[in-house]
Amino acid sequence: MDRTRKIELQRHLQEIYCQPFLDSGAWLECNFSTGGLLNVTIVSPHFQNLTHEECQQHLQEHLPPELKQKLGFLSLYTPAKAQDFGLTPPLPAPVSQPHTWQDLAIHAANPQNVANPQNLVPTSEAKTQPHTVTFYSFKGGVGRTTALIHVAWILAQRGRKVVAVDLDVEAPGLTSAFPLEPMPNLGVVDYFYERAYGLEGTYEVEITDIFGEVEIPNALGRLFVVPAGEMSLDYVAKVDDLRATTVTDTGQSLWQVLVEDLQRQLAPDLILVDSRTGLNQWGAFSLLQAAHEVVIFLFPNEQNLKGAQILLESLASVGTVEPTVVFSPVPDLTETGLTKVRSIWQELSPLLAQFMPEDSPETDLDDQERKDEDSWLEDPLMVGYTPTIALSDRYPIANSTDYYIKIANLLDNSLHQEQQVPSSTPDRWQILESLRFPAGNAGDQQENLGLLFQKTGNFQRFLDESVYLIRGRKGTGKTALYSLILKARDTFDRLSENRLSHYDFIPGHGRQPEGRLTRDDFDSVGDRLKTNPGSWASFWRGYWLLQAYRYGHGDFLKRLPPPLQKFKPLQQKLKAVSPSGWQSEHRDLLVELATDSDLKSLVLDAIAEVNQRQDSRVICALYDDLDEDFRNLDNLRQNALTGLFEFVQSCEARNLSQVRFKIFLREDLWQKLNFDNKSHVRGRDLSLTWTRADFLRLAYRQLTQSEALKDWIDRVYPMADPDRASEDELQTALTRLWGEKRRQGGNAKYVARWVYDRLTDSSGTTFPRSLTVLLEQATRKELDYQHQRVQHPSDRLLRSTSLDAGLDAASQERCEAIRQEYPELEPMFSRLENFPALADPQQLEQLWADTAPEICPTFESFTKLLAEIGLAQLRPKTSKKEAHYRFADIYIYGFKMDYRGTK
Amino acid sequence: MENYEGAYRQRHRDTEVLHGVDRATAAMHLGGCAVECLLKAMILAQIPNPNQRQWHTEENPQPHGIKRPNHDLQEALKQYRKLYDRALKDPQVLKWFNAVEFPSQHFIDLRYSDTEPSPEGYKIWWDAYTKLCRWLEKQKTQL
């Protein structure tokens, strides 16, 4: 009987026997034996005046047929009888942790009693003990102890204080690999034996008697080893007599006593336990009582697979020990051997995916899809068979640590998370309340623009003087760059290391303190250019001159020395309009400069004159907001943009070397643009893209505006310059904010990667603006938990559900943006609600036929468009799934699509 | 303090005496009490530390936390998980437990009963009782 049916059965019986009689003290308890027998105790007024046989018969009528043959103990009483017998309802969660294999099996057989594994809270002692990792294997000879030795060595070299404990008490071996100083002649067995059977206060074996230190040259940390004990007849007798489940007189387990003593004496960062193999009482002890984390070593064959499956299933029912699987030793690291490993790994992966206390799998399309596809699997951890390691008597083997570094990294990361909760942790709510986020649109940001701007990987290309077109999707930071240059010049110079310090930047068009020409102005300009022999190129030329004049680069036009008297008419026109603001007179002037043939020529000459007078300085005009300010009607936008590029190219043709341009343009507008010399732009453009490291830098930069958070991060991960930090360093620093992984388990997704992937569309474009929205909303959601009676995560500020809420908000913002970008696709967007996020080609073709045949004449052109705009991408056929179209996560939530995908 | 082991032996002897003189209802009542005593003895014996072999109460808390079970045999068995699980693995043992706990009604209620069981019913009970005692005695040496 599977988990769901057991839970349902309990609910069903409760409906019959308990719910109608809640006030009369009705209750029930179901227990399944590991062999599948059902044992129930039901206390209900329903049994009043019924004989024992009648009670049993009534119960059997409500059981599924297959259970009627599998009945164990049935205790069916009225409340009065139960009171006579002193029976009381079972205690609600938290349920105690299992200590033996039998406990574990019974736990796993009774999911109805532990419906939520998170209810299983570790004891307070377990929480405060040093991070403990058990190295476990079903079968011996797989290199478990060797791995432990190497991992302990690597971590000590890196600066960790590590204690390795040999709990392979029936076949100890840890000490023979290490030279210990001093070499103790007592071990953990002697220590346990006294505490199990001796009288408290008379112990002779002290903690200092049972460990020695391994001298590691040049190590930053230290490594101590607690051996099992010296092999002797006395040792054998003690091991046989010792019971791993013994509770001492003070009510503690043997493990708790040992850890307290170790903590007092050595205060280690990490305890590594070498466990007994198989289903032995000491194996259970080291796995269930001692471990926070278990590294399971298995040889890649069926026998080991079955064992690992049962173990993972059982551990998942408990949910407090995080497992990692390592294949060891893999005898053949060629493709043939790896195929075998991967096939076993694939079998284990769904079980590993169960370790998810914070996430619900059905809301995660990736997990959904992963179940169906092979390609998602990352390579598992593996240790290859190496004769030099296998044949050695002493460890570690120099230059053989490569395999073990990955395991060490994994443990190091867990340790980072553990250590993020020092006793002096400041008030998490205070930190959350101190977080501030910039306005949704970079252009609206007035303060701290320089501090919040993130230099992306292609910033250097922007500084290339020959580049004049900066392409990017809406929300990729074009306006942030535009604003940074105009409003925070010092910061721009610092970030660019003064490479463009000889540039004078002016707004060609875009946000300016005094306002700008509006859509209506441009509508009017467009109408008048249609009926006049002018052109948009001339318009931009006049506009450029007006701006240069306003920003002090056309002083000759103010005084006009004798050789330049020809500019008099132009001077009069410029002087006639107000030197600031934008009124109709400015618009009319620009139309006149574009349509009057005399003035047109004068503008041309005046620009050449400005160029000549610049000495070594360059005037660079910046153009932004070209999407919003031009309606897409009657080719207005197309004509205006074409004119702008014609103007730029004409300046180039005339070798106006002191006149430069940087045009920020939405990617789709650029793609749609057609003009004669479009190909000339090739190589003079760049596309704004955000790598994961850029993204993490932005998150770090925005968040550390909060002094409280920065201080908290700096205590463990001080970072001088985030721009020079590696992706790993940034990721580590941000674990304070959102933790390391989305959920527990070796194959769970890293949060940093999750955030980046979720905010990246299917064309690979990532949106920094979405990141701001996500963080802001996630913070808000987290603050909602402040007064709720739920457990708050201790290793992170934002829990997964808060990040989910943030993603939802970011997705909504992004959907709104794409709707603005592509208004012609609105009929299609409005049909996306409940449309499958994993759509088969027929479903997508129907969507096209219903909503977009006028925009895209063929289905192929429709799918091409979806790919270009980053909405959906074709996923080719795999061995398990037909070809299908996958919508990008960033749009799924905002459009309220059906994330469960295809049936 | 109760001596469950001794009480079991005494009640078991009483039951055999009653069985010998055809006092069926009284035998079934005392037989149930005998098994209850034996279970209690076994539950306490499972605790490794002899100093802790006492029931957990609010006044006298014990590290093991095991409270004194009452007359429900399933409830008592649950206090000794290993024995409980072993009983569930043998369908015969389950039958014996069921027969001893509920001969016609719960064994503890038989003290107020004024009827005697049928000879066949009593025969089944006696068979179950003797086998259950033998089975439990055997477990004592093997757990």
Side-chain angles (χ1 to χ4, degrees), chain A residues 319-614:
Chain A
T320 50
V321 184
E322 185 180 345
T324 297
V325 169
V326 177
F327 291 93
S328 172
V330 180
D332 174 14
L333 287 173
T334 63
E335 202 44 46
T336 320
L338 294 182
T339 307
K340 174 87 178 163
V341 169
R342 286 195 193 111
S343 100
I344 292 178
W345 178 232
Q346 203 179 344
E347 299 268 332
L348 291 176
S349 293
L351 293 168
L352 286 164
Q354 291 180 82
F355 294 82
M356 46 176 70
E358 298 188 2
D359 222 359
S360 57
E362 61 273 23
T363 61
D364 197 325
L365 185 62
D366 250 15
D367 288 337
Q368 275 286 328
E369 209 178 12
R370 281 173 175 192
K371 283 179 192 158
D372 302 328
E373 294 184 8
D374 301 343
S375 57
W376 71 274
L377 282 172
E378 288 176 19
D379 275 345
L381 290 173
M382 279 178 284
V383 175
Y385 177 78
T386 317
T388 45
I389 294 181
L391 297 173
S392 179
D393 292 327
R394 285 277 170 186
Y395 296 109
I397 308 288
N399 306 323
S400 298
T401 52
D402 286 3
Y403 291 127
Y404 304 112
I405 282 176
K406 283 186 180 171
I407 306 173
N409 288 347
L410 207 73
L411 303 189
D412 228 1
N413 275 338
S414 307
L415 211 49
H416 272 306
Q417 288 202 326
E418 288 271 318
Q419 291 178 340
Q420 282 164 27
V421 207
S423 53
S424 60
T425 302
D427 183 350
R428 69 195 307 275
W429 308 114
Q430 208 179 332
I431 297 181
L432 283 163
E433 274 165 6
S434 74
L435 299 182
R436 294 285 175 272
F437 299 92
N441 194 320
D444 301 333
Q445 182 68 27
Q446 292 302 315
E447 292 168 6
N448 295 331
L449 186 68
L451 288 171
L452 295 173
F453 174 77
Q454 180 51 52
K455 187 169 141 179
T456 56
N458 49 22
F459 185 72
Q460 292 302 322
R461 290 179 64 190
F462 173 81
L463 302 176
D464 180 341
E465 297 195 48
S466 68
V467 167
Y468 63 80
L469 172 63
I470 296 93
R471 299 182 279 115
R473 299 286 304 281
K474 196 172 170 67
T476 48
K478 299 184 296 297
T479 300
L481 188 49
Y482 169 93
S483 303
L484 174 80
I485 297 168
L486 293 177
K487 293 181 188 167
R489 181 64 198 262
D490 290 350
T491 310
F492 173 74
D493 284 342
R494 181 174 51 77
L495 292 172
S496 59
E497 293 166 345
N498 292 316
R499 273 185 58 188
L500 298 183
S501 61
H502 57 297
Y503 268 47
D504 293 322
F505 290 102
I506 61 169
H509 176 74
R511 284 151 213 251
Q512 301 155 48
E514 63 272 27
R516 65 186 198 267
L517 291 174
T518 64
R519 269 183 168 210
D520 291 341
D521 290 324
F522 285 113
D523 284 352
S524 160
V525 171
D527 286 345
R528 288 153 75 181
L529 289 185
K530 261 192 232 163
T531 53
N532 283 292
S535 72
W536 276 100
S538 304
F539 168 85
W540 290 112
R541 209 172 274 127
Y543 193 1
W544 185 94
L545 185 68
L546 178 60
Q547 287 293 77
Y549 177 72
R550 281 184 162 194
Y551 281 83
H553 298 289
D555 282 351
F556 72 94
L557 285 168
K558 288 179 182 157
R559 286 179 298 279
L560 287 185
L564 301 176
Q565 281 299 314
K566 69 167 183 175
F567 291 114
K568 189 85 183 168
L570 189 56
Q571 183 196 47
Q572 285 171 345
K573 293 288 177 194
L574 292 171
K575 281 188 170 173
V577 295
S578 150
S580 64
W582 294 96
Q583 285 111 35
S584 57
E585 63 200 59
H586 297 96
R587 180 197 61 208
D588 295 343
L589 169 67
L590 294 180
V591 172
E592 207 178 342
L593 295 180
T595 52
D596 182 295
S597 56
D598 294 338
L599 287 173
K600 270 165 71 176
S601 305
L602 284 177
V603 169
L604 261 173
D605 293 350
I607 293 175
E609 190 62 34
V610 174
N611 179 64
Q612 204 180 330
R613 287 174 172 269
Q614 276 303 108

Side-chain angles (χ1 to χ4, degrees), chain A residues 29 33-34 37 39-41 52 71-73 75 77 81 84-87 102-103 106 247-249 251, chain B residues 49 52 63 70-72 74-75 77-78 81-82 84-85 88-89 94 97-98 101-102 104 106 108-109:
Chain A
E29 185 183 13
S33 75
T34 50
L37 291 185
N39 306 288
V40 286
T41 301
H52 183 64
L71 292 178
F73 284 99
S75 299
Y77 299 119
K81 192 75 195 164
D84 269 2
F85 284 3
L87 296 180
Q102 192 178 28
D103 292 348
I106 290 167
V247 179
T248 65
D249 287 345
Chain B
N49 188 332
Q52 298 168 5
N70 217 306
H71 306 301
D72 180 67
Q74 181 182 189
E75 185 63 18
L77 266 175
K78 275 191 210 157
R81 219 157 178 183
K82 225 168 175 174
Y84 185 45
D85 212 40
L88 288 166
K89 287 190 173 14
L94 270 178
F97 262 111
N98 197 35
E101 188 167 16
F102 294 98
S104 56
H106 195 277
I108 206 74
D109 295 332

Side-chain angles (χ1 to χ4, degrees), chain A residues 526-782:
Chain A
D527 286 345
R528 288 153 75 181
L529 289 185
K530 261 192 232 163
T531 53
N532 283 292
S535 72
W536 276 100
S538 304
F539 168 85
W540 290 112
R541 209 172 274 127
Y543 193 1
W544 185 94
L545 185 68
L546 178 60
Q547 287 293 77
Y549 177 72
R550 281 184 162 194
Y551 281 83
H553 298 289
D555 282 351
F556 72 94
L557 285 168
K558 288 179 182 157
R559 286 179 298 279
L560 287 185
L564 301 176
Q565 281 299 314
K566 69 167 183 175
F567 291 114
K568 189 85 183 168
L570 189 56
Q571 183 196 47
Q572 285 171 345
K573 293 288 177 194
L574 292 171
K575 281 188 170 173
V577 295
S578 150
S580 64
W582 294 96
Q583 285 111 35
S584 57
E585 63 200 59
H586 297 96
R587 180 197 61 208
D588 295 343
L589 169 67
L590 294 180
V591 172
E592 207 178 342
L593 295 180
T595 52
D596 182 295
S597 56
D598 294 338
L599 287 173
K600 270 165 71 176
S601 305
L602 284 177
V603 169
L604 261 173
D605 293 350
I607 293 175
E609 190 62 34
V610 174
N611 179 64
Q612 204 180 330
R613 287 174 172 269
Q614 276 303 108
D615 301 324
S616 59
R617 309 241 4 119
V618 172
I619 305 176
C620 183
L622 307 180
Y623 294 84
D624 191 31
D625 287 324
L626 297 167
D627 50 350
E628 285 176 32
D629 292 348
F630 292 87
R631 275 184 234 277
N632 190 25
L633 285 175
D634 299 331
N635 285 335
L636 174 72
R637 193 190 277 157
Q638 156 84 22
N639 294 339
L641 291 177
T642 302
L644 178 59
F645 284 99
E646 282 172 4
F647 164 52
V648 172
Q649 290 178 341
S650 76
C651 289
E652 299 231 306
R654 295 168 69 203
N655 286 327
L656 300 179
S657 56
Q658 310 305 101
V659 174
R660 299 280 182 184
F661 305 88
K662 298 281 185 194
I663 303 170
F664 298 91
L665 189 62
R666 237 170 56 194
E667 183 68 51
D668 59 302
L669 300 187
W670 172 249
Q671 296 300 340
K672 284 183 202 153
L673 212 54
N674 280 312
F675 57 94
D676 284 347
N677 294 323
K678 190 177 180 185
S679 62
H680 291 190
V681 184
R682 202 170 298 148
R684 314 289 300 274
D685 61 340
L686 73 83
S687 173
L688 274 183
T689 51
W690 286 71
T691 63
R692 198 153 54 214
D694 292 331
F695 222 59
L696 297 180
R697 280 191 191 100
L698 179 67
Y700 180 86
R701 197 180 286 279
Q702 287 192 351
L703 293 160
T704 51
Q705 298 311 299
S706 150
E707 283 296 325
L709 180 61
K710 183 160 183 359
D711 179 55
W712 194 40
I713 291 178
D714 280 354
R715 283 191 214 171
V716 184
Y717 313 111
M719 194 178 290
D721 181 3
D723 284 331
R724 293 183 196 279
S726 69
E727 185 182 325
D728 276 354
E729 287 169 328
L730 290 158
Q731 196 163 314
T732 308
L734 286 168
T735 52
R736 287 237 158 176
L737 174 76
W738 52 37
E740 186 200 11
K741 290 186 175 183
R742 285 279 292 168
R743 52 179 190 253
Q744 290 178 6
N747 66 344
K749 202 156 188 164
Y750 287 93
V751 178
R753 196 171 294 181
W754 179 86
V755 170
Y756 179 80
D757 289 352
R758 291 299 181 281
L759 301 184
T760 303
D761 74 9
S762 60
S763 72
T765 306
T766 308
F767 304 94
R769 193 183 300 166
S770 305
L771 176 66
T772 307
V773 176
L774 182 145
L775 291 175
E776 189 171 15
Q777 184 56 36
T779 305
R780 207 171 290 155
K781 170 83 179 169
E782 188 65 45

Side-chain angles (χ1 to χ4, degrees), chain B residues 112-138:
Chain B
Y112 303 124
S113 173
D114 60 354
T115 56
E116 286 289 306
S118 67
E120 296 77 36
Y122 179 70
K123 201 171 163 234
I124 292 170
W125 177 85
W126 177 250
D127 185 55
Y129 171 73
T130 48
K131 283 178 175 157
L132 180 60
C133 289
R134 270 169 49 209
W135 184 82
L136 284 170
E137 295 258 19
K138 184 172 180 183

Side-chain angles (χ1 to χ4, degrees), chain A residues 780-899:
Chain A
R780 207 171 290 155
K781 170 83 179 169
E782 188 65 45
L783 281 166
D784 288 346
Y785 285 110
Q786 186 169 2
H787 302 297
Q788 289 181 28
R789 297 186 66 184
V790 293
Q791 200 179 345
H792 306 304
S794 54
D795 66 330
R796 58 191 78 187
L797 287 177
L798 301 176
R799 68 195 80 200
S800 280
T801 47
S802 298
L803 288 172
D804 287 340
L807 174 64
D808 200 33
S811 178
Q812 284 180 31
E813 187 271 345
R814 188 62 220 147
C815 289
E816 196 46 48
I818 201 172
R819 284 185 134 128
Q820 281 177 25
E821 278 178 89
Y822 304 98
E824 66 275 18
L825 294 176
E826 185 51 41
M828 189 259 293
F829 293 142
S830 58
R831 280 279 301 277
L832 290 182
E833 190 169 340
N834 296 325
F835 190 79
L838 297 176
D840 61 42
Q842 293 74 25
Q843 289 169 313
L844 199 69
E845 190 160 3
Q846 190 59 50
L847 182 71
W848 162 73
D850 293 347
T851 63
E854 282 143 25
I855 297 151
C856 303
T858 62
F859 177 57
E860 286 67 34
S861 61
F862 177 66
T863 57
K864 198 171 159 226
L865 176 69
L866 294 191
E868 275 170 13
I869 67 175
L871 190 64
Q873 194 76 259
L874 177 69
R875 292 287 175 101
K877 184 179 175 181
T878 64
S879 57
K880 290 192 174 173
K881 196 160 175 67
E882 291 298 318
H884 61 282
Y885 289 87
R886 188 201 195 287
F887 281 75
D889 289 290
I890 185 69
Y891 296 115
I892 292 171
Y893 307 96
F895 282 127
K896 298 188 171 55
M897 299 182 72
D898 178 0
Y899 53 76

Side-chain angles (χ1 to χ4, degrees), chain A residues 56-75:
Chain A
Q56 286 195 336
Q57 204 176 342
H58 190 269
L59 172 66
Q60 291 201 31
E61 282 166 14
H62 292 93
L63 294 177
E66 74 268 22
L67 267 185
K68 288 180 186 164
Q69 303 306 317
K70 302 205 88 179
L71 292 178
F73 284 99
L74 305 178
S75 299

Side-chain angles (χ1 to χ4, degrees), chain A residues 190-295:
Chain A
D190 307 287
Y191 175 90
F192 280 164
Y193 196 82
E194 235 186 20
R195 274 135 193 93
Y197 303 125
L199 285 178
E200 203 189 351
T202 63
Y203 304 147
E204 288 186 351
V205 182
E206 301 292 337
I207 189 74
T208 46
D209 298 329
I210 63 164
F211 67 79
E213 183 167 7
V214 183
E215 292 294 340
I216 304 177
N218 304 321
L220 298 171
R222 300 174 79 171
L223 172 57
F224 299 91
V225 176
V226 180
E230 204 171 61
M231 195 52 79
S232 65
L233 290 175
D234 187 48
Y235 178 87
V236 173
K238 279 179 179 173
V239 168
D240 191 51
D241 195 21
L242 204 52
R243 292 289 161 265
T245 48
T246 302
V247 179
T248 65
D249 287 345
T250 53
Q252 289 174 296
S253 72
L254 294 174
W255 180 255
Q256 283 166 353
V257 175
L258 173 71
V259 167
E260 273 182 18
D261 268 357
L262 282 175
Q263 180 68 21
R264 235 186 331 264
Q265 185 66 29
L266 297 173
D269 294 321
L270 184 68
I271 298 177
L272 300 183
V273 176
D274 191 23
S275 161
R276 183 81 193 112
T277 55
L279 301 174
N280 166 285
Q281 64 161 334
W282 293 103
F285 181 83
S286 40
L287 199 67
L288 303 173
Q289 294 198 48
H292 294 111
E293 207 171 333
V294 56
V295 185

